[in-house]
Amino acid sequence: MSTRIVLLGATGYTGSRTAEALVARGARPVLAGRDPARLGALADRLGGLPTAPADVTDPASVRALLGAGDVLVTTVGPFLRLGDPAVEAAVAAGAVYLDSTGEPPFIRRVFEDAGPRAVTTGAALVPAFGLDYVPGTLAGALALVEAGDRAHRVDIGYALDGTSGQAFSRGTLVSLAGVLLEPGFAFAGGRLREEAAGRRVWRFEAAGRPRRGLSVGGAEHLTLPGLAPGLREVGVHLDWFGALTPVAHRLAPLAPLIGRLPLARQGAQRLAAVVGARVGEAPSQRTLAQARTRTVAEVRDRAGAVLSRVELAGPEPYGLTAELLAEGATHAAQHGLRDVGALGPVQALGLDALTAAATAAGLHRT
């Protein structure tokens, strides 16, 4: 594998799991991060990998990691606050970029701001290449192919089973707190529109059980419309919050109003810091041992009749994210990507290659 893969944030929880998944595929990534001692220990454990110092608070150190054609994988979050230096470094170098973000405002910023500039430098930016939001993109793309040209609306539902104790990593919880008051969005009426997260609830079935998913501004709103010219509506929904789902739904209309108050967003960032100080770095061991993901896509025609349905099952979220990032990075290093600019997973790899990568990462159709 001659193309360099650089892993930024290698010593964090998701980063170290991604490093392991890359090595398991025969890659020798450059491990990059702030702490030389922790980088060295991880590099030694994984067979003497190269390391490089880099800190996103020093953008020049991140730019120094990359050359043209390199593949950068970053797990450094929260992305809305810390993600821009890696994106800018990839754009400047003309590199391939993949990340683990699930933060809708950041994903939208990559597509609308960095994407056009990436086209001019030959960079390829593929954000949210993990549980957020590869399974929904893949399920949606497969369902759209099966539905044909009558597709009018696609709904995506994410479900998580088998959690016990701490369900999410510290990084995920900090990211969720940090975007509470940020503007949301949805693809509706054939265009991207502002819409608060949690404004809608979608009832769907996964693994034979009824689910309630809260609406969010997932990457699918930005990536699926390009796959089906007649598509007019996209819904993305998370069934992750259990008994809190109806409460969050009722409070959703207040978020945009609160977000306009002076210092409200700074308050959300302080809340994120408090959350980060009080939870463990990783989910509980029982969650890691038992949790499973389910993702459903349903396509409807203009009258609301279901045209196609795809359900995917996968392993626990963090292992799945690490495996998907490793699959995406090694594919980019070996074969390149299909286009430049800001890309969805299907636009970047092609549907057949994405399906193969997802299968290798542990996703399968049920």
Side-chain angles (χ1 to χ4, degrees), residues 20-362:
E20 293 166 356
L22 283 164
V23 170
R25 287 161 173 77
R28 290 184 57 81
V30 177
L31 306 182
R34 295 180 298 174
D35 189 330
R38 292 180 68 191
L39 284 173
L42 179 63
D44 290 345
R45 179 166 68 82
L46 295 178
L49 297 178
T51 64
D55 187 336
V56 294
T57 64
D58 176 14
S61 71
V62 182
R63 290 195 298 270
L65 295 173
L66 297 178
D70 287 345
V71 177
L72 174 64
V73 179
T74 176
T75 60
V76 177
F79 284 84
L80 197 59
R81 183 163 60 87
L82 301 175
D84 284 344
V87 174
E88 295 302 325
V91 171
V96 173
Y97 167 98
L98 301 100
D99 70 33
S100 59
T101 189
E103 300 169 38
F106 179 78
I107 299 167
R108 185 175 183 180
R109 192 159 75 199
V110 170
F111 272 85
E112 294 183 345
D113 178 32
R117 292 184 286 113
V119 172
T120 67
T121 66
L125 311 177
V126 194
F129 206 87
L131 173 62
D132 313 66
Y133 289 94
V134 169
T137 300
L138 176 59
L142 292 171
L144 286 168
V145 169
E146 293 176 9
D149 58 12
R150 293 170 57 205
H152 177 79
R153 178 181 178 90
V154 59
D155 283 289
I156 309 295
Y158 288 86
L160 180 59
D161 294 331
T163 60
S164 179
Q166 185 173 322
F168 300 104
S169 73
R170 176 189 298 152
T172 299
L173 293 171
V174 168
S175 292
L176 284 170
V179 301
L180 282 175
L181 301 181
E182 295 296 325
F185 57 88
F187 187 80
R191 64 183 180 88
L192 206 62
R193 299 184 177 186
E194 303 296 323
E195 181 178 289
R199 194 68 180 265
R200 304 175 190 277
V201 175
W202 184 46
R203 297 180 182 274
F204 63 103
E205 184 176 287
R209 290 173 46 199
R211 313 287 182 150
R212 291 181 302 176
L214 280 177
S215 60
V216 296
E220 293 92 336
H221 295 290
L222 298 158
T223 62
L224 291 180
L227 303 179
L231 193 64
R232 304 294 290 173
E233 312 280 341
V234 177
V236 184
H237 315 81
L238 304 182
D239 176 39
W240 289 357
F241 308 109
L244 294 177
T245 296
V247 177
H249 174 55
R250 286 193 292 270
L251 293 177
L254 299 178
L257 302 177
I258 297 172
R260 296 191 190 106
L261 296 175
L263 304 180
R265 291 183 184 176
Q266 292 90 326
Q269 294 298 331
R270 285 195 291 272
L271 173 62
V274 170
V275 170
R278 295 190 176 186
V279 298
E281 182 181 31
S284 69
Q285 286 301 311
R286 289 185 66 183
T287 290
L288 293 175
Q290 301 174 4
R292 297 293 182 267
T293 63
R294 294 276 179 167
T295 309
V296 171
E298 291 183 359
V299 177
R300 288 173 167 76
D301 65 14
R302 188 176 294 274
V306 176
L307 300 175
S308 61
R309 184 181 189 277
V310 171
E311 181 170 340
L312 303 178
E316 56 86 15
Y318 298 94
L320 177 58
T321 292
E323 296 291 324
L324 285 169
L325 285 169
E327 282 291 325
T330 53
H331 178 94
Q334 293 170 348
H335 308 293
L337 299 182
R338 293 162 59 97
D339 206 346
V340 296
L343 308 170
V346 176
Q347 289 87 349
L349 276 70
L351 185 54
D352 290 344
L354 180 63
T355 302
T359 300

